[in-house]
Protein backbone atom coordinates (compact mmCIF):
# COMPACT_ATOMS: atom_id res chain seq x y z
CA UNK A 1 0.00 0.00 0.00
CA UNK A 2 1.26 3.47 -0.88
CA UNK A 3 1.90 5.62 2.21
CA UNK A 4 2.81 9.31 2.27
CA UNK A 5 5.77 10.51 4.32
CA UNK A 6 4.66 13.15 6.81
CA UNK A 7 6.54 15.70 8.85
CA UNK A 8 4.45 14.93 11.93
CA UNK A 9 2.58 11.74 12.85
CA UNK A 10 -0.94 11.60 11.47
CA UNK A 11 -3.50 8.83 11.12
CA UNK A 12 -2.50 5.98 8.84
CA UNK A 13 -5.75 6.49 6.96
CA UNK A 14 -4.64 10.03 6.04
CA UNK A 15 -1.17 8.82 5.06
CA UNK A 16 -2.64 6.06 2.87
CA UNK A 17 -5.07 8.35 1.04
CA UNK A 18 -3.93 9.14 -2.45
CA UNK A 19 -5.42 9.97 -5.83
CA UNK A 20 -4.61 7.32 -8.43
CA UNK A 21 -5.36 7.62 -12.11
CA UNK A 22 -5.01 3.89 -12.55
CA UNK A 23 -7.88 1.72 -11.35
CA UNK A 24 -8.28 -2.04 -11.23
CA UNK A 25 -11.26 -3.72 -12.85
CA UNK A 26 -12.56 -4.81 -9.43
CA UNK A 27 -16.03 -3.36 -9.01
CA UNK A 28 -17.17 -1.34 -6.01
CA UNK A 29 -20.01 -3.13 -4.24
CA UNK A 30 -23.37 -1.53 -3.47
CA UNK A 31 -22.55 -1.88 0.22
CA UNK A 32 -19.26 -0.02 -0.20
CA UNK A 33 -21.01 2.76 -2.12
CA UNK A 34 -23.63 3.02 0.62
CA UNK A 35 -20.89 3.30 3.23
CA UNK A 36 -19.00 6.11 1.49
CA UNK A 37 -22.19 8.13 0.94
CA UNK A 38 -23.25 7.48 4.54
CA UNK A 39 -19.88 8.84 5.67
CA UNK A 40 -20.41 11.97 3.56
CA UNK A 41 -23.79 12.50 5.21
CA UNK A 42 -22.08 12.85 8.60
CA UNK A 43 -19.82 15.73 7.61
CA UNK A 44 -20.31 19.00 9.46
CA UNK A 45 -22.21 21.83 7.76
CA UNK A 46 -23.51 25.27 8.61
CA UNK A 47 -26.92 25.05 10.27
CA UNK A 48 -26.73 21.30 9.54
CA UNK A 49 -27.96 22.21 6.05
CA UNK A 50 -25.96 19.41 4.38
CA UNK A 51 -25.84 21.27 1.04
CA UNK A 52 -24.14 18.43 -0.85
CA UNK A 53 -25.81 16.25 -3.44
CA UNK A 54 -24.30 13.45 -5.51
CA UNK A 55 -25.01 11.97 -8.92
CA UNK A 56 -23.13 8.75 -9.56
CA UNK A 57 -22.92 5.81 -11.91
CA UNK A 58 -20.82 2.69 -12.14
CA UNK A 59 -19.56 0.64 -15.06
CA UNK A 60 -22.58 -1.70 -14.83
CA UNK A 61 -24.71 1.09 -16.37
CA UNK A 62 -22.64 2.26 -19.36
CA UNK A 63 -25.18 4.87 -20.50
CA UNK A 64 -25.30 6.62 -17.11
CA UNK A 65 -21.54 6.25 -16.65
CA UNK A 66 -20.85 7.83 -20.05
CA UNK A 67 -23.15 10.78 -19.29
CA UNK A 68 -20.81 11.63 -16.40
CA UNK A 69 -17.64 10.79 -18.32
CA UNK A 70 -18.57 13.08 -21.24
CA UNK A 71 -18.60 16.08 -18.87
CA UNK A 72 -14.91 15.68 -18.05
CA UNK A 73 -12.15 17.40 -20.02
CA UNK A 74 -10.44 15.01 -22.48
CA UNK A 75 -7.30 14.65 -20.32
CA UNK A 76 -9.42 13.33 -17.43
CA UNK A 77 -11.62 11.20 -19.71
CA UNK A 78 -8.54 9.32 -20.90
CA UNK A 79 -7.98 7.65 -17.53
CA UNK A 80 -11.28 8.16 -15.68
CA UNK A 81 -13.08 5.94 -18.23
CA UNK A 82 -11.50 2.99 -16.39
CA UNK A 83 -12.68 3.96 -12.91
CA UNK A 84 -15.40 1.65 -11.58
CA UNK A 85 -17.51 4.60 -10.32
CA UNK A 86 -17.82 8.26 -11.32
CA UNK A 87 -19.44 10.72 -8.94
CA UNK A 88 -20.53 14.30 -9.54
CA UNK A 89 -20.46 16.36 -6.36
CA UNK A 90 -22.95 19.22 -6.31
CA UNK A 91 -23.69 22.07 -3.92
CA UNK A 92 -27.04 23.57 -3.03
CA UNK A 93 -26.12 27.28 -3.00
CA UNK A 94 -29.02 28.66 -0.95
CA UNK A 95 -30.66 27.72 2.33
CA UNK A 96 -34.26 26.53 2.25
CA UNK A 97 -35.26 30.05 3.35
CA UNK A 98 -33.75 31.45 0.13
CA UNK A 99 -30.69 33.11 1.69
CA UNK A 100 -27.26 32.51 0.17
CA UNK A 101 -25.30 29.79 2.00
CA UNK A 102 -21.84 31.35 1.86
CA UNK A 103 -20.21 28.27 3.45
CA UNK A 104 -21.84 25.73 1.14
CA UNK A 105 -18.71 25.04 -0.94
CA UNK A 106 -16.71 24.53 2.26
CA UNK A 107 -19.34 22.11 3.56
CA UNK A 108 -19.35 20.10 0.33
CA UNK A 109 -15.56 19.86 0.60
CA UNK A 110 -15.96 18.47 4.10
CA UNK A 111 -18.45 15.89 2.83
CA UNK A 112 -16.09 14.91 0.01
CA UNK A 113 -13.21 14.57 2.47
CA UNK A 114 -15.31 12.40 4.77
CA UNK A 115 -16.41 10.27 1.80
CA UNK A 116 -12.76 9.93 0.74
CA UNK A 117 -11.54 8.90 4.18
CA UNK A 118 -14.25 6.24 4.44
CA UNK A 119 -13.29 4.99 0.98
CA UNK A 120 -9.66 4.79 2.12
CA UNK A 121 -10.71 2.83 5.22
CA UNK A 122 -12.42 0.35 2.86
CA UNK A 123 -9.28 -0.02 0.71
CA UNK A 124 -10.73 2.15 -2.07
CA UNK A 125 -9.20 5.22 -3.67
CA UNK A 126 -10.73 8.51 -4.78
CA UNK A 127 -9.37 10.95 -7.35
CA UNK A 128 -11.03 14.39 -7.35
CA UNK A 129 -11.24 16.25 -10.65
CA UNK A 130 -11.91 19.92 -11.22
CA UNK A 131 -11.31 19.48 -14.95
CA UNK A 132 -14.82 19.33 -16.38
CA UNK A 133 -17.08 21.39 -18.62
CA UNK A 134 -19.39 23.31 -16.31
CA UNK A 135 -21.95 24.26 -18.97
CA UNK A 136 -22.10 20.75 -20.39
CA UNK A 137 -22.54 19.30 -16.90
CA UNK A 138 -25.40 21.68 -16.09
CA UNK A 139 -27.08 20.82 -19.41
CA UNK A 140 -26.43 17.07 -19.21
CA UNK A 141 -28.24 16.81 -15.87
CA UNK A 142 -30.71 19.67 -16.32
CA UNK A 143 -29.59 21.18 -13.02
CA UNK A 144 -31.75 23.83 -11.33
CA UNK A 145 -30.18 27.25 -10.78
CA UNK A 146 -29.47 26.68 -7.07
CA UNK A 147 -27.56 23.41 -7.65
CA UNK A 148 -23.96 23.90 -8.80
CA UNK A 149 -21.47 21.26 -9.95
CA UNK A 150 -18.38 21.40 -7.72
CA UNK A 151 -16.11 18.49 -8.56
CA UNK A 152 -16.07 14.99 -10.04
CA UNK A 153 -14.72 12.00 -8.14
CA UNK A 154 -13.39 8.76 -9.59
CA UNK A 155 -13.80 5.90 -7.10
CA UNK A 156 -12.40 2.40 -7.14
CA UNK A 157 -9.55 0.11 -6.24
CA UNK A 158 -6.14 1.41 -7.34
CA UNK A 159 -4.62 -0.43 -10.28
CA UNK A 160 -1.07 -0.80 -11.58
CA UNK A 161 0.59 2.33 -12.96
CA UNK A 162 1.82 0.29 -15.93
CA UNK A 163 -1.63 0.39 -17.51
CA UNK A 164 -1.30 4.18 -17.95
CA UNK A 165 0.43 5.94 -20.83
CA UNK A 166 3.14 8.53 -20.24
CA UNK A 167 3.30 11.08 -18.72
CA UNK A 168 0.59 9.75 -16.39
CA UNK A 169 2.55 6.57 -15.62
CA UNK A 170 5.50 8.58 -14.27
CA UNK A 171 3.18 10.82 -12.25
CA UNK A 172 1.49 7.75 -10.80
CA UNK A 173 4.83 6.31 -9.67
CA UNK A 174 6.15 9.59 -8.22
CA UNK A 175 6.56 9.65 -4.43
CA UNK A 176 3.69 11.16 -2.49
CA UNK A 177 4.35 14.57 -1.03
CA UNK A 178 2.60 17.52 0.52
CA UNK A 179 3.00 20.40 -1.88
CA UNK A 180 3.11 23.31 0.56
CA UNK A 181 2.77 24.39 4.15
CA UNK A 182 -0.81 24.57 5.33
CA UNK A 183 -0.37 26.55 8.55
CA UNK A 184 0.09 30.23 9.20
CA UNK A 185 1.25 31.81 12.44
CA UNK A 186 -0.92 34.62 13.73
CA UNK A 187 0.27 36.84 16.56
CA UNK A 188 -1.91 36.90 19.67
CA UNK A 189 -2.23 40.68 19.55
CA UNK A 190 -2.49 43.21 16.76
CA UNK A 191 -0.85 46.66 16.79
Amino acid sequence: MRTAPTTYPVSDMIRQRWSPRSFSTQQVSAGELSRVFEAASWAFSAMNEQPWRYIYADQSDPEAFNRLLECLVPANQAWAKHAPVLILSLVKTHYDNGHLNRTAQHDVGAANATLTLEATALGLSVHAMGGFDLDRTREQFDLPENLEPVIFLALGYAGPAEQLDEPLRSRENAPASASRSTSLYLPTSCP
Side-chain angles (χ1 to χ4, degrees):
M1 173 161 291
R2 184 176 175 143
T3 304
T6 59
T7 304
Y8 299 99
V10 297
S11 162
D12 284 344
M13 189 168 41
I14 292 170
R15 292 177 60 231
Q16 292 167 0
R17 189 223 54 84
W18 71 292
S19 301
R21 289 176 186 84
S22 177
F23 288 93
S24 81
T25 58
Q26 182 178 351
Q27 294 303 300
V28 176
S29 73
E32 290 166 327
L33 273 173
S34 295
R35 284 182 63 176
V36 299
F37 288 125
E38 174 75 12
S41 77
W42 285 96
F44 52 80
S45 64
M47 297 176 58
N48 198 28
E49 183 73 11
Q50 301 178 352
W52 49 84
R53 304 292 183 268
Y54 294 102
I55 297 171
Y56 72 94
D58 64 21
Q59 293 276 1
S60 70
D61 185 345
E63 184 179 335
F65 186 89
N66 285 329
R67 285 182 69 198
L68 289 163
L69 184 67
E70 290 168 1
C71 295
L72 299 175
V73 297
N76 284 335
Q77 287 180 14
W79 61 267
K81 66 185 177 188
H82 301 294
V85 179
L86 288 178
I87 303 167
L88 169 58
S89 173
L90 304 145
V91 65
K92 186 177 153 208
T93 58
H94 289 74
Y95 292 111
D96 289 337
N97 65 13
H99 290 101
L100 177 67
N101 181 349
R102 66 177 190 79
T103 64
Q105 291 261 352
H106 171 273
D107 296 346
V108 123
N112 289 341
T114 307
L115 178 154
T116 299
L117 290 175
E118 181 66 18
T120 302
L122 293 170
L124 295 162
S125 294
V126 175
H127 188 115
M129 297 168 280
F132 65 94
D133 184 318
L134 180 62
D135 293 333
R136 182 176 186 134
T137 303
R138 290 195 68 76
E139 181 182 305
Q140 182 79 281
F141 297 101
D142 194 25
L143 298 175
E145 192 174 312
N146 74 331
L147 202 55
E148 289 288 329
V150 176
I151 202 159
F152 278 75
L153 305 167
L155 172 71
Y157 290 93
E162 293 72 34
Q163 66 190 21
L164 295 170
D165 294 328
E166 289 296 349
L168 296 180
R169 183 181 311 135
S170 295
R171 289 172 68 186
E172 196 84 350
N173 285 323
S177 67
S179 59
R180 62 186 67 85
S181 174
T182 58
S183 61
L184 175 67
Y185 171 75
L186 263 159
T188 56
S189 63
C190 295

